[in-house]
Amino acid sequence: VKHYSVAMKHYFPAPAALVIVASVLLGPISGLQQPGGTHRFPTRRTILSLPPKALIAAATGASSAAIISASSSSANAATPNGLILNKSSESGLQWADAKRGTGQPLTPGMVASIDYSMASTVGRQPQIYTTKDKGVPYRWTLGDGSTIAGIELAILGSSGDDDSIPPMLPGGIRRVIIPANLGYQSILNEKDPKCIEGKDIGPIPPKNNSDGGYQRWYQFYCNPRIPYQPDIVLDIKLYGKR
């Protein structure tokens, strides 16, 4: 942790808490096998010896097994923590498909409807919010400026660089890791940000929800005292015409 900037230090939990988080998210480590083929959970020393990328990868596993696991019976599905992410060298967006959809891709001007699960790559509780089972998917018109660029890029795809991102198709499920410049960074440039759905760029968890999702989102992405914004992990399920 000491190799990171001061801003980053605010987001990484204390060693003891880090051990707890990593133990839960990483689960048994295959390299720690005991006689009889059983596995033991990582110890404090083991967790602290892992490189930072491994701990961040563990956090992405919390972004939501809820949506990813919904496709577990599909031949195209992947286990919640088993997705191999591709990275666009131009935009910095990382992506992987847990389930491929069918039909025609959406285009700017069309209404998009998604369920999503959001997490941060840092913090003691990386999971932020999910629309799954809420009965209210997130909807907007592609290209209208109401939604963070990283989500639109994940859905529309890109073909402007050597690492082209294919568009999502209806019924597909995609995990993306969105860098700050494609996320909520613009909110902090506003003179008087409202940090409320419909008033600022979305999606934003509902403020009146009792699960604490809004407070966690605010702490990471609309907090004027902490200008650094961590990457966003999103699992997105795209619907067709509804």
Side-chain angles (χ1 to χ4, degrees):
V1 175
K2 65 182 180 180
H3 298 294
Y4 287 82
S5 66
V6 173
M8 285 287 283
K9 288 180 182 178
H10 288 292
Y11 288 92
F12 277 92
L18 192 61
V19 171
I20 295 171
V21 172
S23 295
V24 172
L25 296 179
L26 291 174
I29 294 179
S30 60
L32 301 178
Q33 191 167 20
Q34 294 180 331
T38 60
H39 295 77
R40 64 183 176 86
F41 279 83
T43 64
R44 180 180 187 276
R45 179 173 296 179
T46 302
I47 293 298
L48 294 178
S49 68
L50 292 173
K53 286 185 178 180
L55 297 176
I56 292 175
T60 66
S63 77
S64 183
I67 287 182
I68 292 292
S69 62
S71 64
S72 60
S73 61
S74 167
N76 293 322
T79 57
N81 296 326
L83 297 178
I84 299 175
L85 294 165
N86 305 283
K87 184 174 183 178
S88 167
S89 58
E90 182 174 299
S91 66
L93 184 82
Q94 298 181 63
W95 62 274
D97 285 327
K99 178 183 178 183
R100 296 180 182 179
T102 59
Q104 297 300 311
L106 277 63
T107 57
M110 298 179 69
V111 174
S113 180
I114 64 171
D115 268 323
Y116 71 87
S117 286
M118 179 188 297
S120 171
T121 50
V122 295
R124 288 179 172 85
Q125 189 174 358
Q127 177 70 33
I128 295 176
Y129 181 74
T130 180
T131 61
K132 181 175 171 58
D133 299 328
K134 300 288 195 301
V136 185
Y138 178 72
R139 294 185 177 93
W140 79 104
T141 300
L142 289 164
D144 68 0
S146 66
T147 299
I148 59 174
I151 290 182
E152 295 216 338
L153 181 59
I155 291 173
L156 295 173
S158 73
S159 57
D161 56 31
D162 293 335
D163 309 300
S164 297
I165 302 170
M168 289 187 69
L169 302 178
I173 299 175
R174 176 170 288 181
R175 171 167 293 173
V176 292
I177 300 182
I178 301 173
N181 65 306
L182 297 178
Y184 298 101
Q185 203 168 61
S186 62
I187 291 180
L188 296 181
N189 296 328
E190 298 175 12
K191 184 177 181 180
D192 184 26
K194 304 300 182 184
C195 302
I196 297 174
E197 184 71 65
K199 301 291 185 180
D200 276 309
I201 196 164
I204 297 175
K207 192 173 183 179
N208 60 356
N209 199 288
S210 61
D211 63 4
Y214 176 82
Q215 288 74 19
R216 291 189 292 274
W217 173 84
Y218 181 93
Q219 178 66 23
F220 287 128
Y221 300 109
C222 204
N223 189 342
R225 296 190 300 273
I226 306 178
Y228 166 79
Q229 292 187 354
D231 292 349
I232 308 159
V233 183
L234 278 171
D235 289 341
I236 301 169
K237 181 176 182 178
L238 177 65
Y239 295 105
K241 294 182 180 180
R242 305 186 73 178

